[in-house]
Amino acid sequence: MADLDVRAIAFPRLDESHVGYLSSLGSRRTLHDGEMVFKAGEPNVKFFVVTAGAVEIREESSGAPRHVALHEPHHFGGDVRYRVHFDEDGMVTGRCVLIATGAEYRTLEVPGRAGYEGAGLYYAATAPEAQMCCGSDVIVVGGGNSAGQAAMYLSEQSPRVLLVIRDRDLRKSMSSYLVERIRNAGNIEVLTESEMTCFTGNGKLESCTITNRRTGEQRTVMTPAVFTFIGAVPCTAWLPKEIDTDSKGFLKTGPLVADSPYWTARRPPMLLETSRPGVFAAGHVRVGSTKRVSSAVGEGAMAVMFVHAHLTAG
């Protein structure tokens, strides 16, 4: 697959038909060498299209001017409020930023784990995964609500579900209603103070070892599937402090940032807007999001509408 041209995506060109249409709506302006078009942050900066020559974009906040990009014929621009730096391909600028960097699921520290990813070791308990292990004993690892919900769902299709947690009491990290449902389920066994210590199989998971952390007692379980729900780490370490996060690093949006010292707009933040006006977040990276692909896609579509509303409002 060809490498993406980040600059071409960040600074697209209009085709002849677009330029012709916009020419009928606006007016032409001739600039001389060295003349400034606008400064970032100036109010009421108008949309412009380069029809001849070139316009250089410079970054001057650090002192000496630094070249960012060159707008040639059919490039367009306007006010630039945000800059995103890339490790290998410089920087792009824009009036809005949509953060959809997701989160990385925490993995079990078990030797050979990587060989069973997708071949018995899963991070979601949906219909496709449940169907693959229907009729077999399965293991769910984790003590939070996601693990509890997965255990209840899998118990409807598997003869036995083992729920493995490191703590002594399931109530420490799981909602009471889920704890009661699990205790009342006849085919869910909770293994407290325990952890996974070994996976075995030939190309796919066939069995695993569970070890009691207090006594050292080991138990081998024949199973084709282990479902892991031990949390996720959001990919937000690269963001500046002005983008508010919760204690785990997930991005706060909407009402959660209305009182943030970094919120500078006179209007309230939109539902998927972060603590900086014009910076939006969607998907797994956001506080309170449903950690499912379908939900992330839906949030992405919703965020595009918010971006449009922000840009239209100026």
Side-chain angles (χ1 to χ4, degrees), residues 270-294:
M270 300 182 207
L271 181 63
L272 300 182
E273 200 165 18
T274 69
S275 53
R276 292 295 297 163
V279 179
F280 298 86
H284 291 45
V285 75
R286 193 177 65 83
V287 170
S289 65
T290 301
K291 304 302 187 282
R292 294 290 183 269
V293 172
S294 57

mmCIF file of all heavy atoms in Angstrom, residues 270-294:
data_model
loop_
_atom_site.group_PDB
_atom_site.id
_atom_site.type_symbol
_atom_site.label_atom_id
_atom_site.label_comp_id
_atom_site.label_asym_id
_atom_site.label_seq_id
_atom_site.Cartn_x
_atom_site.Cartn_y
_atom_site.Cartn_z
ATOM 1 N N MET A 270 -19.460 22.017 22.461
ATOM 2 C CA MET A 270 -20.315 21.018 21.832
ATOM 3 C C MET A 270 -20.045 19.656 22.455
ATOM 4 O O MET A 270 -19.044 19.452 23.137
ATOM 5 C CB MET A 270 -20.065 20.984 20.317
ATOM 6 C CG MET A 270 -20.343 22.307 19.625
ATOM 7 S SD MET A 270 -20.079 22.196 17.838
ATOM 8 C CE MET A 270 -19.659 23.914 17.463
ATOM 9 N N LEU A 271 -20.932 18.702 22.190
ATOM 10 C CA LEU A 271 -20.904 17.407 22.862
ATOM 11 C C LEU A 271 -19.548 16.707 22.755
ATOM 12 O O LEU A 271 -19.068 16.120 23.728
ATOM 13 C CB LEU A 271 -21.997 16.500 22.296
ATOM 14 C CG LEU A 271 -22.106 15.109 22.923
ATOM 15 C CD1 LEU A 271 -22.466 15.211 24.400
ATOM 16 C CD2 LEU A 271 -23.136 14.274 22.175
ATOM 17 N N LEU A 272 -18.906 16.754 21.591
ATOM 18 C CA LEU A 272 -17.640 16.059 21.383
ATOM 19 C C LEU A 272 -16.449 17.017 21.337
ATOM 20 O O LEU A 272 -15.368 16.642 20.893
ATOM 21 C CB LEU A 272 -17.688 15.248 20.081
ATOM 22 C CG LEU A 272 -18.775 14.171 20.006
ATOM 23 C CD1 LEU A 272 -18.688 13.413 18.686
ATOM 24 C CD2 LEU A 272 -18.672 13.197 21.177
ATOM 25 N N GLU A 273 -16.626 18.218 21.836
ATOM 26 C CA GLU A 273 -15.561 19.227 21.824
ATOM 27 C C GLU A 273 -14.754 19.156 23.116
ATOM 28 O O GLU A 273 -15.303 18.998 24.198
ATOM 29 C CB GLU A 273 -16.166 20.611 21.651
ATOM 30 C CG GLU A 273 -15.186 21.666 21.160
ATOM 31 C CD GLU A 273 -15.908 22.909 20.666
ATOM 32 O OE1 GLU A 273 -17.102 23.087 21.012
ATOM 33 O OE2 GLU A 273 -15.301 23.702 19.936
ATOM 34 N N THR A 274 -13.447 19.256 22.995
ATOM 35 C CA THR A 274 -12.570 19.190 24.159
ATOM 36 C C THR A 274 -12.480 20.555 24.837
ATOM 37 O O THR A 274 -13.255 21.460 24.541
ATOM 38 C CB THR A 274 -11.165 18.733 23.739
ATOM 39 O OG1 THR A 274 -10.541 19.774 22.956
ATOM 40 C CG2 THR A 274 -11.215 17.445 22.932
ATOM 41 N N SER A 275 -11.530 20.702 25.737
ATOM 42 C CA SER A 275 -11.373 21.949 26.487
ATOM 43 C C SER A 275 -10.810 23.095 25.650
ATOM 44 O O SER A 275 -10.682 24.213 26.154
ATOM 45 C CB SER A 275 -10.480 21.725 27.711
ATOM 46 O OG SER A 275 -9.253 21.131 27.327
ATOM 47 N N ARG A 276 -10.470 22.843 24.405
ATOM 48 C CA ARG A 276 -10.042 23.900 23.488
ATOM 49 C C ARG A 276 -11.049 24.006 22.357
ATOM 50 O O ARG A 276 -11.338 23.022 21.677
ATOM 51 C CB ARG A 276 -8.649 23.604 22.925
ATOM 52 C CG ARG A 276 -7.550 23.694 23.955
ATOM 53 C CD ARG A 276 -7.377 25.114 24.483
ATOM 54 N NE ARG A 276 -6.961 26.035 23.429
ATOM 55 C CZ ARG A 276 -7.055 27.363 23.531
ATOM 56 N NH1 ARG A 276 -7.565 27.911 24.619
ATOM 57 N NH2 ARG A 276 -6.642 28.122 22.545
ATOM 58 N N PRO A 277 -11.626 25.196 22.143
ATOM 59 C CA PRO A 277 -12.610 25.372 21.069
ATOM 60 C C PRO A 277 -12.033 24.955 19.715
ATOM 61 O O PRO A 277 -10.912 25.327 19.356
ATOM 62 C CB PRO A 277 -12.893 26.883 21.096
ATOM 63 C CG PRO A 277 -12.572 27.298 22.502
ATOM 64 C CD PRO A 277 -11.410 26.440 22.912
ATOM 65 N N GLY A 278 -12.793 24.137 19.005
ATOM 66 C CA GLY A 278 -12.343 23.696 17.695
ATOM 67 C C GLY A 278 -11.534 22.421 17.694
ATOM 68 O O GLY A 278 -11.170 21.916 16.640
ATOM 69 N N VAL A 279 -11.268 21.877 18.872
ATOM 70 C CA VAL A 279 -10.571 20.590 18.981
ATOM 71 C C VAL A 279 -11.566 19.556 19.476
ATOM 72 O O VAL A 279 -12.094 19.682 20.590
ATOM 73 C CB VAL A 279 -9.358 20.669 19.934
ATOM 74 C CG1 VAL A 279 -8.676 19.309 20.042
ATOM 75 C CG2 VAL A 279 -8.370 21.719 19.447
ATOM 76 N N PHE A 280 -11.839 18.546 18.656
ATOM 77 C CA PHE A 280 -12.867 17.562 18.958
ATOM 78 C C PHE A 280 -12.247 16.184 19.182
ATOM 79 O O PHE A 280 -11.112 15.927 18.783
ATOM 80 C CB PHE A 280 -13.876 17.500 17.806
ATOM 81 C CG PHE A 280 -14.605 18.793 17.575
ATOM 82 C CD1 PHE A 280 -14.057 19.780 16.768
ATOM 83 C CD2 PHE A 280 -15.835 19.025 18.164
ATOM 84 C CE1 PHE A 280 -14.719 20.992 16.560
ATOM 85 C CE2 PHE A 280 -16.500 20.230 17.968
ATOM 86 C CZ PHE A 280 -15.951 21.216 17.159
ATOM 87 N N ALA A 281 -12.990 15.320 19.836
ATOM 88 C CA ALA A 281 -12.523 13.954 20.097
ATOM 89 C C ALA A 281 -13.655 12.979 19.801
ATOM 90 O O ALA A 281 -14.825 13.273 20.058
ATOM 91 C CB ALA A 281 -12.062 13.803 21.539
ATOM 92 N N ALA A 282 -13.291 11.811 19.260
ATOM 93 C CA ALA A 282 -14.295 10.801 18.934
ATOM 94 C C ALA A 282 -13.721 9.409 19.142
ATOM 95 O O ALA A 282 -12.528 9.179 18.943
ATOM 96 C CB ALA A 282 -14.761 10.963 17.488
ATOM 97 N N GLY A 283 -14.586 8.491 19.566
ATOM 98 C CA GLY A 283 -14.177 7.099 19.692
ATOM 99 C C GLY A 283 -13.603 6.740 21.045
ATOM 100 O O GLY A 283 -13.860 7.404 22.063
ATOM 101 N N HIS A 284 -12.793 5.699 21.065
ATOM 102 C CA HIS A 284 -12.265 5.121 22.296
ATOM 103 C C HIS A 284 -11.471 6.111 23.140
ATOM 104 O O HIS A 284 -11.335 5.939 24.356
ATOM 105 C CB HIS A 284 -11.356 3.933 21.973
ATOM 106 C CG HIS A 284 -12.081 2.749 21.420
ATOM 107 N ND1 HIS A 284 -13.046 2.855 20.436
ATOM 108 C CD2 HIS A 284 -11.988 1.432 21.696
ATOM 109 C CE1 HIS A 284 -13.504 1.662 20.133
ATOM 110 N NE2 HIS A 284 -12.890 0.768 20.879
ATOM 111 N N VAL A 285 -10.924 7.156 22.527
ATOM 112 C CA VAL A 285 -10.057 8.098 23.226
ATOM 113 C C VAL A 285 -10.832 9.019 24.172
ATOM 114 O O VAL A 285 -10.247 9.672 25.029
ATOM 115 C CB VAL A 285 -9.265 8.928 22.189
ATOM 116 C CG1 VAL A 285 -10.168 9.978 21.530
ATOM 117 C CG2 VAL A 285 -8.034 9.583 22.802
ATOM 118 N N ARG A 286 -12.145 9.021 24.077
ATOM 119 C CA ARG A 286 -12.978 9.986 24.796
ATOM 120 C C ARG A 286 -13.567 9.403 26.076
ATOM 121 O O ARG A 286 -13.960 8.233 26.116
ATOM 122 C CB ARG A 286 -14.113 10.451 23.869
ATOM 123 C CG ARG A 286 -14.878 11.676 24.343
ATOM 124 C CD ARG A 286 -15.922 12.067 23.319
ATOM 125 N NE ARG A 286 -16.935 11.024 23.189
ATOM 126 C CZ ARG A 286 -17.976 10.906 24.009
ATOM 127 N NH1 ARG A 286 -18.141 11.762 25.017
ATOM 128 N NH2 ARG A 286 -18.866 9.941 23.823
ATOM 129 N N VAL A 287 -13.634 10.221 27.119
ATOM 130 C CA VAL A 287 -14.269 9.813 28.376
ATOM 131 C C VAL A 287 -15.737 9.467 28.125
ATOM 132 O O VAL A 287 -16.463 10.208 27.460
ATOM 133 C CB VAL A 287 -14.193 10.953 29.421
ATOM 134 C CG1 VAL A 287 -15.070 10.629 30.633
ATOM 135 C CG2 VAL A 287 -12.769 11.187 29.863
ATOM 136 N N GLY A 288 -16.167 8.322 28.636
ATOM 137 C CA GLY A 288 -17.570 7.947 28.552
ATOM 138 C C GLY A 288 -17.985 7.314 27.248
ATOM 139 O O GLY A 288 -19.167 6.964 27.087
ATOM 140 N N SER A 289 -17.069 7.133 26.314
ATOM 141 C CA SER A 289 -17.447 6.522 25.044
ATOM 142 C C SER A 289 -17.663 5.021 25.218
ATOM 143 O O SER A 289 -17.063 4.389 26.081
ATOM 144 C CB SER A 289 -16.364 6.760 23.986
ATOM 145 O OG SER A 289 -15.158 6.105 24.351
ATOM 146 N N THR A 290 -18.531 4.459 24.382
ATOM 147 C CA THR A 290 -18.731 3.013 24.362
ATOM 148 C C THR A 290 -17.600 2.411 23.551
ATOM 149 O O THR A 290 -17.410 2.748 22.391
ATOM 150 C CB THR A 290 -20.078 2.649 23.728
ATOM 151 O OG1 THR A 290 -21.120 3.277 24.484
ATOM 152 C CG2 THR A 290 -20.293 1.151 23.735
ATOM 153 N N LYS A 291 -16.826 1.539 24.154
ATOM 154 C CA LYS A 291 -15.619 1.020 23.496
ATOM 155 C C LYS A 291 -15.968 -0.072 22.472
ATOM 156 O O LYS A 291 -15.662 -1.249 22.653
ATOM 157 C CB LYS A 291 -14.644 0.493 24.558
ATOM 158 C CG LYS A 291 -14.263 1.532 25.626
ATOM 159 C CD LYS A 291 -13.633 2.765 25.005
ATOM 160 C CE LYS A 291 -13.104 3.733 26.058
ATOM 161 N NZ LYS A 291 -14.160 4.528 26.680
ATOM 162 N N ARG A 292 -16.635 0.366 21.407
ATOM 163 C CA ARG A 292 -17.010 -0.529 20.309
ATOM 164 C C ARG A 292 -16.735 0.199 18.994
ATOM 165 O O ARG A 292 -16.904 1.418 18.901
ATOM 166 C CB ARG A 292 -18.486 -0.926 20.392
ATOM 167 C CG ARG A 292 -18.834 -1.770 21.606
ATOM 168 C CD ARG A 292 -18.239 -3.167 21.512
ATOM 169 N NE ARG A 292 -18.622 -4.007 22.635
ATOM 170 C CZ ARG A 292 -17.930 -4.119 23.757
ATOM 171 N NH1 ARG A 292 -16.816 -3.417 23.910
ATOM 172 N NH2 ARG A 292 -18.341 -4.922 24.721
ATOM 173 N N VAL A 293 -16.357 -0.539 17.968
ATOM 174 C CA VAL A 293 -16.034 0.063 16.671
ATOM 175 C C VAL A 293 -17.231 0.809 16.099
ATOM 176 O O VAL A 293 -17.100 1.930 15.595
ATOM 177 C CB VAL A 293 -15.544 -1.009 15.679
ATOM 178 C CG1 VAL A 293 -15.391 -0.416 14.282
ATOM 179 C CG2 VAL A 293 -14.227 -1.610 16.139
ATOM 180 N N SER A 294 -18.411 0.204 16.172
ATOM 181 C CA SER A 294 -19.603 0.840 15.611
ATOM 182 C C SER A 294 -19.887 2.180 16.288
ATOM 183 O O SER A 294 -20.261 3.154 15.619
ATOM 184 C CB SER A 294 -20.814 -0.089 15.747
ATOM 185 O OG SER A 294 -21.018 -0.448 17.111
#
